[in-house]
Amino acid sequence: MSRPAVEQDDLTLRFATREDLAAIGDFLPELAGPHYAEQFPGRTAREFLDWKYFRNPAGEAIVGVAAAPGRVVGTVAAVPVRLQLGDEVVTAYNLGDFLTAAEFRNRGLFSRLVDLVCREAEARGAALAYVQPNANSYPILIRRSFREPFRFELRYFPVPSRALARKLGIPAAVTARLRLDAAALRLALPRRDRSVVVEPATAFDARIDRLWEDARRGYRVLVARDRGRLQWRFAECPTPYRILVARRGEEVAGYIVTFANRATGEAHVADLFSRADDRAAAAELLRRSFEELVRGPMRAIFAWTIAAPGPCMIGDLLRGACRLTWSPLHFALRPLGPRTNADLPAGGWYLTDGDFDTI
Ligand SMILES: CC(C)(COP(=O)(O)OP(=O)(O)OC[C@H]1O[C@@H](n2cnc3c(N)ncnc32)[C@H](O)[C@@H]1OP(=O)(O)O)[C@@H](O)C(=O)NCCC(=O)NCCS
């Protein structure tokens, strides 16, 4: 990789190497907040970043840093993914880790790092860069050629016994006796379907590639869910994800990946995948997973859905299970190379939390 260095005062804008991981690991917790370490219990931020930036089978991340003497003061990372775009599979980059140290803000550091990283992604042949930005970075990106084809909705299922216990200020063990949780789950989730067997897993085996090759035809835009990607993203990640796999006979019919944050009591659906028309598999995965998380005990389960018209069976199931909306979430992308927004498929998008770097 070329390593351009751009000097500004005593700052250098360049690409990070493994040598920078400790400094970036010291810097980034400010962005991720007090629960950052929940994503890698028993490991260091450096180990987590080494997994994220350097162990991805899709290639090394492009990590732009603004370096001051002895420390990092700005970061923009781009993690490669293989993305099905219409009939092709292209390379895309998921941007994240946007942080400029407070005393260096409003000098254009972030903007220049985004440009540096996108130029390198383009040089590596990427078709687009995408990100789930917050309210701080979103307007800056939109002024720099990013577009928002739709937003996500962050939706949630509040666990009634815990919500009530909080409200009344009494122990959750007392409200649990009312059996509200089982009733709420029955309302939120489809009936049990015994045609599918759901089991916990700690790894994805070769059968997942058959599911991917079969299921991908039902979607127009989605991150390639081949074995290499799923192993790295969910099985080898330092984050303690819970993986449940659905099968019919020996064939894998789908999987769900969740993350239960013990510090906050919030669980997140990172990924739910099946054939676009296999409602039985997706519904059974969702049901088993929610039952486990409620026993967990979590106080709420969150999921992202795309807030755009267009049929999506999994999106509909998630909306049914997580009926309350917490907040809209921005989504921004920038086509790279010769592609323009007009070349992107209008429908058939499926993107979930786990396709980004938020958990
Ligand atoms: C969001 C964040 C990364 C932006 O970083 P930044 O380095 O201050 O961003 P920039 O300086 O590039 O852009 C800020 C503004 O300064 C302007 N600016 C650009 N060059 C400039 C210069 N040379 N001098 C002064 N201002 C300049 C930019 O134009 C931009 O304004 P605009 O969007 O109206 O054009 C930073 O505010 C931050 O770390 N926030 C907290 C963490 C966070 O929310 N991260 C986002 C997570 S998704």
Side-chain angles (χ1 to χ4, degrees):
M1 188 210 293
S2 57
R3 305 246 174 233
V6 184
E7 303 288 338
Q8 183 184 9
D9 308 327
D10 54 353
L11 292 181
T12 307
L13 270 56
R14 60 174 173 79
F15 296 122
T17 66
R18 273 203 159 99
E19 264 70 82
D20 296 299
L21 286 181
I24 300 172
D26 287 343
F27 178 61
L28 276 181
E30 183 190 328
L31 169 65
H35 300 306
Y36 189 44
E38 284 292 308
Q39 286 184 264
F40 42 87
R43 313 278 280 275
T44 61
R46 184 201 179 120
E47 287 171 311
F48 179 68
L49 293 171
D50 187 54
W51 162 82
K52 178 172 171 176
Y53 296 160
F54 295 111
R55 293 179 189 273
N56 181 350
E60 284 193 3
I62 303 167
V63 186
V65 290
R71 68 179 181 131
V72 164
V73 298
T75 48
V76 168
V79 173
V81 299
R82 292 172 64 246
L83 185 79
Q84 174 169 306
L85 201 56
D87 299 324
E88 327 166 55
V89 174
V90 300
T91 300
Y93 280 81
N94 171 215
L95 303 188
D97 295 341
F98 295 167
L99 184 65
T100 302
E103 65 275 32
F104 289 90
R105 288 185 192 159
N106 296 316
R107 296 185 186 189
L109 277 189
F110 169 66
S111 308
R112 293 172 63 206
L113 284 174
V114 166
D115 284 340
L116 189 69
V117 161
C118 285
R119 268 202 308 278
E120 177 66 18
E122 189 164 337
R124 292 193 196 178
L128 61 89
Y130 71 92
V131 56
Q132 191 279 299
N134 69 6
N136 298 330
S137 57
Y138 173 77
I140 307 175
L141 294 174
I142 289 298
R143 284 191 281 273
R144 280 163 189 81
S145 309
F146 280 76
R147 291 291 165 263
E148 186 171 48
F150 51 77
R151 288 185 182 183
F152 289 98
E153 279 175 344
L154 178 60
R155 308 178 66 89
Y156 70 108
F157 168 84
V159 177
S161 64
R162 278 158 216 134
L164 190 63
R166 249 166 109 99
K167 208 174 164 100
L168 300 179
I170 58 175
V174 176
T175 52
R177 287 194 209 121
L178 300 172
R179 299 192 171 278
L180 298 171
D181 299 344
L185 284 172
R186 264 198 308 278
L187 276 178
L189 299 169
R191 282 174 178 280
R192 177 143 205 193
D193 187 321
R194 291 181 196 276
S195 70
V196 193
V197 176
V198 172
E199 291 164 341
T202 52
F204 292 90
D205 62 35
R207 292 174 299 174
I208 204 74
D209 281 332
R210 289 207 289 276
L211 172 67
W212 161 243
E213 288 303 332
D214 180 33
R216 59 189 283 189
R217 288 189 283 268
Y219 303 87
R220 298 290 288 160
V221 185
L222 85 168
V223 168
R225 283 155 162 79
D226 53 71
R227 183 184 180 199
R229 160 82 188 176
L230 296 178
Q231 269 295 106
W232 169 77
R233 180 67 185 83
F234 298 122
E236 291 161 10
C237 177
T239 306
Y241 291 114
R242 173 79 169 161
I243 304 169
L244 299 180
V245 171
R247 58 178 180 77
R248 279 192 194 84
E250 284 311 301
E251 287 306 305
V252 170
Y255 66 85
I256 189 166
V257 180
T258 54
F259 169 55
N261 188 327
R262 309 267 150 194
T264 60
E266 292 172 356
H268 302 264
V269 178
D271 196 4
L272 171 60
F273 187 64
S274 69
R275 282 176 57 118
D277 57 1
D278 192 353
R279 190 169 186 280
E284 195 57 15
L285 284 161
L286 201 58
R287 203 180 56 74
R288 273 288 301 274
S289 170
F290 271 48
E291 285 173 357
E292 263 191 26
L293 290 167
V294 167
R295 279 198 304 274
M298 291 288 115
R299 61 182 183 80
I301 305 170
F302 288 82
W304 293 18
T305 55
I306 291 178
C312 176
M313 177 273 294
I314 292 179
D316 291 344
L317 278 176
L318 288 171
R319 266 186 288 276
C322 299
R323 294 193 188 188
L324 302 181
T325 306
W326 184 268
S327 65
L329 297 174
H330 284 300
F331 173 56
L333 65 77
R334 175 156 139 184
L336 302 172
R339 263 194 190 73
T340 67
N341 283 287
D343 300 324
L344 300 175
W349 292 64
Y350 180 59
L351 290 171
T352 69
D353 201 344
D355 298 326
F356 295 75
D357 70 343
T358 46
I359 52 162

